[in-house]
Amino acid sequence: MTMWPDPSSNSAQIYQRALGVLPGGISRLQTWNEPFPFYAKSGSGVHVTDEDGTVRVDFVNNFASLIHGHAHPVIVEAVCEAVKNGTCFALPTRVEVELAEILCERFATFEKVRYCNTGTEAVMLALKAARAYTDRPKIAKFEGAYHGMYDFAEVSLDSSPANWGNDPRSVPYARGTPRGVLEDVVVLPFNETEASERIIREHADQLAGILIDLCPSYMGFAPMSPQYVDMLHRVTKEIGAVLIADEVISIRLGYGGGQGRFGLEPDLTVAAKLIGGGFPVACVAGREKVMSVFDHSKGKPLSPSSGTFTANPIGLTAGVSAMRLLTQENFDRLEVLGERAREGIARTFDNSGFPGQVTGIGSMFQIHMTQRDICNHRSAYQSSEEAGAIRLLQRRMLERGFIISNRGHGFLSTPMNEDHVDALADATSDALREMVQ
Ligand SMILES: Cc1ncc(COP(=O)(O)O)c(C=O)c1O
């Protein structure tokens, strides 16, 4: 039997067909692997089996979505039962109330919840809500922070030394981004409290909201400092801007999400990924006074929101099961495992002599092929050599039966144990030794 990336593998054959019908042969940038993707056939617990029959331990877990790994039996059973009763209705269902109640019980700042399907969509709704609430046009976000594909949220995602400026400039990510979008996005330097406050105040009367991530994944999950959190609380209150926490990933940092852990009190929160138990479920949630922009009960809402598949009962059923499985005990276990994974990988860098490091928090890590301190977009910005080295490490890890992202990210799942994270560290050690040679 041939295996990926053999040109006669099943994956190679599927890819040839894909090239005929999908741009570049793929549907999401993150699934790309050189020289072509390997195709998932099935997943169970910590494992994914590809179309060539190769089994690997999955440390990507659909980019932090699958906190319970693949095909958790409780979630599968609940979904199979739900499917029998119909998959979507132009009517509300009881389960939309059930999941919202669970979320509001866990997050101190959630008073009302509005669903949608993806993190991108939820970020868009949150930014529109902030504009509607304040009747102001601008939003602020961090240089280099990823928030999905909404034009406004993409600004300065990959600004480079050639265009990022001294104070961060609004740099388009996609060609054709309208100038108006760039003019209405204020870009902040992550964790630089004084500079950020100065920039925010320059736009104070125009600023609808500040969109933040407490530990941006593109910056090695560098944690936001307590001073920065304080500044955000103080300044948003003073200028009347809406503080929006993007917890699409950081929600996995604890029972009350990243905000519980960092003491952040946002007006609005964007949640997605794990809240759908492996299905596309996302939401904006927060203070009643801001969330009232979605309320239709007194006439046309200030920010109308709808969607054919919004609050889809199958996804919500999976979400309810996933959230119920996500106990404090599970968070505690994941915390310890995450620490063990990072310590193990850090030791491999010490032992191999390869100049690199691992960063992360809770159940998340990122491997970097540099030793400089990773604390913001500019320090996380990879040279082409570093980007090439991390892709090579990823390839060596795949060959050893471990899936990490092509930027070196990993996200643990509850079916993992010490053996899985120790094996990951051993494989990293082997891979680095081979690369040094
Ligand atoms: C912090 C953050 N926000 C928003 C998004 C967009 O979510 P989605 O891919 O569901 O559109 C992502 C996706 O990875 C993310 O990491």
Side-chain angles (χ1 to χ4, degrees), residues 371-387:
Q371 285 173 323
R372 69 176 171 274
D373 186 28
I374 305 288
C375 54
N376 54 24
H377 172 59
R378 297 187 185 197
S379 56
Y381 189 84
Q382 294 175 336
S383 67
S384 52
E385 292 78 36
E386 288 162 14

Side-chain angles (χ1 to χ4, degrees), residues 28 30 63 117-121 123 146-149 213 217-218 246-250 270 272-273 282:
R28 317 160 54 178
Q30 303 100 317
F63 286 89
N117 298 286
T118 66
T120 290
E121 213 186 330
V123 166
Y146 183 64
H147 298 284
M149 296 183 293
D213 186 333
S217 63
Y218 280 27
D246 180 342
E247 290 241 48
V248 168
I249 286 189
S250 63
V270 174
K273 296 201 193 252

